[in-house]
Amino acid sequence: MANEQQLDPCLCNGKSVSRMFNPKQLRIYILHLLTEGINYGYDLIKKISEETAGFYCPSPGVIYPTLTLLEELGFITAGTGKENDKGRKCFVITPEGRCFLLLKAELLAEVQLKLNYAQELKAGNQFANEIECAVDKFKSLLRHKIVLQQLSKDESAKVVEIINQAVERIEEVNAVLVTEGKSNG
């Protein structure tokens, strides 16, 4: 066990989506990744996890049978990799696979939409976490001041005024974003 390869942690943190791609989409996506030079099963798993912002981390039990099917269809070939890869299977897209990928551009576009959406969700979630942290910090500070009775009546009124102004400003920003979203959609 001590000399087993140490695997990088999956980005999904246990939040994997069981069916982000249907089987056809996954096959097309794998062919696309092979055109980008990602040639090993484990590297495909890592790349898919990265590009889906960690929302989907396919298991080897999904990737390797899909690679076997693609190989049986003649869309990829498998060989051994470089000397330092210790005999790992290296997958390469064939001309037939490239042709098939071109014919299935619509499926690849569906995959791309899902990838873009996952990245948008990740960006939104990062902001949400930062906002939650800021709100928690703010609430803790106020509780501390209130419990220790460190705010005078005037200071309390000023804090209420600041909070109400912040709420109004956030609503203004949200209204602008909603308006922009409608004009872009």
Side-chain angles (χ1 to χ4, degrees):
M1 286 226 171
N3 51 353
E4 282 183 18
Q5 181 183 359
Q6 185 67 24
L7 301 178
D8 295 333
C10 183
L11 296 175
C12 60
N13 295 325
K15 301 176 192 171
S16 184
V17 176
S18 61
R19 278 287 184 142
M20 184 164 200
F21 304 113
N22 67 39
K24 290 178 184 178
Q25 291 171 331
L26 184 61
R27 288 191 292 266
I28 292 301
Y29 185 31
I30 288 173
L31 287 173
H32 171 72
L33 291 175
L34 290 172
T35 66
E36 294 181 349
I38 297 154
N39 302 94
Y40 298 99
Y42 179 68
D43 293 338
L44 288 165
I45 291 169
K46 282 188 350 187
K47 183 68 172 177
I48 291 169
S49 180
E50 289 169 13
E51 288 196 359
T52 62
F55 288 104
Y56 177 60
C57 188
S59 69
V62 169
I63 290 296
Y64 290 104
T66 303
L67 289 167
T68 299
L69 175 63
L70 291 171
E71 186 177 14
E72 289 171 357
L73 292 170
F75 296 150
I76 65 173
T77 58
T80 54
K82 304 169 202 157
E83 275 184 41
N84 59 352
D85 287 330
K86 298 177 185 173
R88 292 192 313 162
K89 271 192 176 181
C90 175
F91 299 93
V92 178
I93 190 167
T94 63
E96 294 82 4
R98 288 181 187 279
C99 182
F100 183 74
L101 185 58
L102 288 173
L103 292 172
K104 299 297 182 179
E106 190 174 304
L107 270 177
L108 185 57
E110 290 173 12
V111 168
Q112 214 51 48
L113 281 173
K114 289 182 177 189
L115 295 174
N116 292 342
Y117 183 66
Q119 292 296 329
E120 288 174 12
L121 283 176
K122 179 182 178 188
N125 285 342
Q126 284 179 331
F127 257 163
N129 289 339
E130 290 176 20
I131 291 169
E132 287 291 328
C133 286
V135 168
D136 287 345
K137 192 173 171 181
F138 175 71
K139 287 178 3 183
S140 293
L141 172 68
L142 284 181
R143 275 193 207 107
H144 180 75
K145 296 290 185 183
I146 291 168
V147 167
L148 295 178
Q149 298 179 346
Q150 292 180 336
L151 294 173
S152 67
K153 187 176 182 179
D154 290 339
E155 290 170 328
S156 294
K158 185 65 177 165
V159 167
V160 168
E161 181 184 337
I162 291 169
I163 292 170
N164 287 332
Q165 288 172 350
V167 169
E168 288 173 19
R169 181 68 183 121
I170 291 168
E171 287 174 343
E172 288 171 8
V173 169
N174 188 52
V176 168
L177 292 176
V178 168
T179 303
E180 286 177 1
K182 287 180 182 174
S183 66
N184 291 335

